[in-house]
Amino acid sequence: MTQNPTLRFNCFLLREGLESHEQALRAQYRPGGKSGMRKLATSPVAPEGCTAFLRDRSEKAPAWAKLLAPAFSELEGVLNFSNRLVIFLPVEDRTFAVCFGYGSSTLEWSWVEANFGLKFAARRFDSNAMSGISSRRIDASARSQWVQIPANSPIVNFEVELDGEFTRKLVGKLDDGIEFPELGAVVATDSVSFKLDTNLHGVKDVLTKMLVTAETGTADKDLAFIDSLEPLRMKSEIVKDLEKLLVNELFQDRARKPRGPDLDTLAVSNLDVHVLAFAPPDDVSVENIHDFTVYRNESSADFETMTLESLRNALFDFSGKFGVSSLSDVKVMARDSNGDPAGMAKPLKHWLVFEAGNQDRRYLLTLGKWYALSEKYSEKLDNDLEQIEDVTSTLNLRTWDDWGYQKNWEKHFNVKATEGRSDLICLDRNPLFAEDGDQVEACDLLHSDGYLIHVKQYTGSQTLSHLFSQGFVSAQVIVSDESYRRDFIEAVNAIDPKMTQAAKWLPPKYVTYAIAFDGRQRLPQDLPTFSKVNLRSFSKKIKMLGSVATLARIQMTFKPKPKKRRL
């Protein structure tokens, strides 16, 4: 029996309100444009209302051919040929763009419905038959990960923390059901990609069912994290207002007065900024970066360190003010040690990670796209964190004052915190080694009631990630490593024998995260979203050890100067 030929269909759902199919194409690819596509004639075999646009055999000399032609003259005539095909397929009262070749590069992305593929995947993927996951952490580290397992596996086997992250891609199989034929491995991003017979009527039937599922279905409990971030429309009023807030935070006194209402009259002016960081897009490998160039119109400026302050300094070399248009018009490019591009020059907005919010709503920018944190997710996260006891008044840790240049580090605070206290000792910088030879700090401060206190100044979510991990690891080693536990007790006894009993609790009685703020931030309400997720995760791990995670707030009376981070 001859098997019908199949194709992999890559399908993007277009937003409502589209007046013509040409409108969904970038200006240069519209018929008559610089790289205009031509509209194809359709036959009666195609579904009603279906139209297609093609640009075939686009010629371009590859960069490697240009550069190596002096050594190998025959490379001078080498060309890459690319084809672009987009089929606009009406489905119910919506339209899908079905792309082949480089067709997706012709789409005007403001007309693409973000997260459609992932939204469908959350409702119909079999969480026990996954083969690939790609995600990006929404914090200053902007860490990206792609994990692939060749055989279909349960999502737990990937051993990645996806809760609170921006999931960019899922690869897997659909759960059992009669609605869908065998589609092979389904790839879900903004689009949904699957294999099917080369019959557009069949593709339309599949997309109809996918559309209904995405709009009315309920997410699988193992994939519900996908719904935690709600994509915002690029041209919506809230995005326009958020970009005004971002411009004000980024450019400060060089920010241009926005068109329309003043920023302080907008609702977004009441949002607290939790994260603003300079981070490379996913297609730029940090290990290849030597320096950066930022472009504005015909001007450019170079900078070396991957910090927000270095970016600002380079930007401020340009004259004039900066407005919302600067987020798109200003381009940043990373270069390698040879001075060659380490990636494409991309709009400034793609190099920023931003989070702002209040008790009612949180908004995030990553990889050039805006998201709102789901209210249900945010409420559940805050409710979970309310279960962690705040022991600020119990421990009564002193304020972190300005003790002068080079005397304001964490080690200075920990020493001063014990002055005049018989219930606290300092174990900071006290080297203890686990069985595997790793140095593990038991805690910064030990309280006589059994609180292992870990201290960190709040400088962003990266700092907190280290703090939360440190508290769990030390408690885990005390529980599992008898030699380490014995050394810990001896170290405490050598400092103050009266505190020895506090060190003997097994498992440790309390693991306390003491976080120092230089403003009025509340703990944990005003932590960045990913830090909240991280705190919840580590508090659960500490509970599984038999200990209790607690929180304490330290007030700083000055604003420290930021440290510079070099590549």
Side-chain angles (χ1 to χ4, degrees):
M1 182 176 177
T2 304
Q3 188 174 3
N4 292 332
T6 61
L7 273 177
R8 178 161 286 278
F9 294 86
N10 191 27
C11 310
F12 295 84
L13 176 63
L14 301 181
R15 296 192 188 280
E16 296 174 292
L18 196 66
E19 295 179 0
S20 68
H21 294 148
E22 288 89 340
Q23 189 180 8
L25 298 172
R26 291 164 58 193
Q28 72 183 84
Y29 291 108
R30 294 169 190 165
K34 180 181 177 182
S35 303
M37 303 173 77
R38 57 190 173 92
K39 186 175 180 179
L40 302 182
T42 51
S43 73
V45 174
E48 184 179 353
C50 173
T51 59
F53 291 83
L54 172 70
R55 178 169 173 77
D56 56 342
R57 292 183 64 81
S58 300
E59 300 178 0
K60 184 178 180 181
W64 50 264
K66 291 180 181 178
L67 296 172
L68 293 173
F72 306 97
S73 58
E74 291 176 79
L75 292 176
E76 290 180 357
V78 172
L79 296 172
N80 276 338
F81 295 94
S82 60
N83 297 291
R84 295 171 169 84
L85 174 65
V86 180
I87 301 171
F88 292 102
L89 187 62
V91 175
E92 298 292 297
D93 57 348
R94 303 292 295 273
T95 300
F96 279 86
V98 185
C99 300
F100 297 91
Y102 290 87
S104 60
S105 67
T106 69
L107 297 178
E108 172 55 60
W109 287 98
S110 62
W111 281 105
V112 172
E113 192 77 67
N115 264 33
F116 167 74
L118 289 167
K119 193 173 181 181
F120 167 74
R123 286 150 179 80
R124 285 308 303 264
F125 267 28
D126 182 349
S127 61
N128 289 309
M130 308 286 294
S131 55
I133 294 173
S134 174
S135 71
R136 179 179 173 99
R137 180 175 294 177
I138 304 179
D139 69 351
S141 71
R143 185 266 296 135
S144 295
Q145 60 182 343
W146 163 245
V147 183
Q148 184 174 5
I149 297 179
N152 293 321
S153 301
I155 195 169
V156 294
N157 289 2
F158 286 77
E159 297 181 349
V160 292
E161 183 72 55
L162 291 167
D163 196 11
E165 296 203 4
F166 165 44
T167 303
R168 302 183 58 230
K169 180 179 179 180
L170 290 177
V171 183
K173 303 195 78 171
L174 302 188
D175 59 16
D176 293 333
I178 62 172
E179 302 99 316
F180 298 102
E182 174 54 49
L183 302 179
V186 177
V187 181
T189 57
D190 286 334
S191 67
V192 61
S193 173
F194 53 86
K195 290 183 73 173
L196 197 66
D197 295 348
T198 52
N199 176 350
L200 288 178
H201 289 280
V203 173
K204 182 174 180 178
D205 289 342
V206 168
L207 290 176
T208 299
K209 294 165 186 172
M210 287 184 170
L211 183 61
V212 172
T213 299
E215 291 179 344
T216 63
T218 301
D220 180 275
K221 63 180 179 61
D222 292 330
L223 298 170
F225 58 84
I226 291 173
D227 286 351
S228 64
L229 291 176
E230 301 169 354
L232 299 175
R233 299 197 174 198
M234 292 171 62
K235 296 181 180 179
S236 64
E237 288 302 315
I238 184 61
V239 166
K240 292 177 183 178
D241 292 347
L242 286 167
E243 293 197 341
K244 292 176 183 178
L245 176 64
L246 172 57
V247 163
N248 191 64
E249 289 292 325
L250 177 61
F251 299 115
Q252 300 169 346
D253 59 355
R254 294 284 297 276
R256 184 184 299 123
K257 187 177 183 295
R259 294 180 181 179
D262 289 342
L263 178 62
D264 57 9
T265 67
L266 300 174
V268 296
S269 65
N270 295 319
L271 302 178
D272 296 318
V273 174
H274 299 291
V275 176
L276 175 54
F278 176 58
D282 279 358
D283 64 344
V284 177
S285 297
V286 173
E287 66 270 17
N288 293 331
I289 300 175
H290 180 264
D291 57 13
F292 302 87
T293 299
V294 58
Y295 301 91
R296 188 188 195 195
N297 299 325
E298 302 301 317
S299 302
S300 65
D302 299 335
F303 61 102
E304 292 186 357
T305 55
M306 192 163 57
T307 65
L308 189 66
E309 201 56 37
S310 295
L311 170 66
R312 279 198 183 106
N313 291 338
L315 288 168
F316 293 168
D317 282 345
F318 302 129
S319 60
K321 299 275 189 177
F322 298 85
V324 169
S325 62
S326 300
L327 297 174
S328 300
D329 296 342
V330 173
K331 305 291 196 302
V332 179
M333 183 176 71
R335 294 194 306 251
D336 63 22
S337 57
N338 295 319
D340 297 325
M344 292 177 59
K346 289 194 173 183
L348 176 60
K349 185 166 66 172
H350 289 251
W351 291 80
L352 299 173
V353 178
F354 184 69
E355 179 182 340
N358 54 28
Q359 286 182 293
D360 299 319
R361 208 75 169 116
R362 289 215 177 191
Y363 302 97
L364 309 107
L365 169 71
T366 184
L367 299 175
K369 295 182 180 180
W370 287 96
Y371 298 85
L373 190 67
S374 163
E375 291 185 48
K376 287 184 179 179
Y377 178 84
S378 184
E379 182 180 338
K380 175 69 165 58
L381 183 56
D382 286 341
N383 288 341
D384 289 346
L385 293 181
E386 284 181 4
Q387 309 308 310
I388 303 176
E389 185 182 0
D390 186 327
V391 294
T392 301
S393 58
T394 301
L395 298 180
N396 194 27
L397 298 175
R398 64 158 300 150
T399 57
W400 192 326
D401 295 320
D402 186 350
W403 297 302
Y405 180 68
Q406 293 296 323
K407 293 182 179 179
N408 288 326
W409 308 124
E410 180 187 310
K411 61 182 180 182
H412 300 114
F413 171 82
N414 290 330
V415 170
K416 289 181 177 292
T418 64
E419 292 178 356
R421 299 279 297 260
S422 60
D423 57 349
L424 276 180
I425 61 171
C426 176
L427 286 160
D428 187 12
R429 306 299 197 276
N430 197 317
L432 295 172
F433 294 89
E435 284 180 335
D436 58 9
D438 288 345
Q439 184 173 328
V440 179
E441 191 174 82
C443 58
D444 291 310
L445 301 168
L446 178 65
H447 189 274
S448 57
D449 288 337
Y451 293 91
L452 275 66
I453 305 168
H454 299 267
V455 176
K456 275 288 180 288
Q457 171 195 330
Y458 174 68
T459 57
S461 51
Q462 280 180 293
T463 304
L464 296 185
S465 293
H466 175 71
L467 173 68
F468 300 149
S469 175
Q470 181 185 46
F472 167 70
V473 169
S474 72
Q476 185 181 47
V477 173
I478 289 172
V479 170
S480 63
D481 189 335
E482 185 177 347
S483 176
Y484 179 89
R485 182 167 65 251
R486 187 167 53 249
D487 291 345
F488 170 49
I489 294 171
E490 288 178 1
V492 171
N493 186 66
I495 297 171
D496 185 349
K498 296 191 298 295
M499 298 288 288
T500 305
Q501 184 56 46
K504 288 184 176 180
W505 282 95
L506 188 66
K509 195 173 182 182
Y510 302 106
V511 175
T512 301
Y513 297 120
I515 304 173
F517 296 96
D518 56 41
R520 296 183 178 180
Q521 299 96 325
R522 299 164 301 164
L523 181 66
Q525 296 95 319
D526 292 333
L527 295 180
T529 299
F530 185 78
S531 296
K532 288 184 174 184
V533 172
N534 227 0
L535 173 58
R536 180 176 64 180
S537 176
F538 278 107
S539 68
K540 290 179 180 177
K541 292 179 181 179
I542 288 168
K543 184 178 181 179
M544 290 177 67
L545 289 176
S547 301
V548 176
T550 60
L551 290 169
R553 190 184 187 284
I554 300 169
Q555 182 63 53
M556 301 187 76
T557 59
F558 67 104
K559 195 171 187 66
K561 293 182 180 179
K563 294 181 182 179
K564 290 187 177 181
R565 180 165 63 96
R566 289 194 168 269
L567 293 172

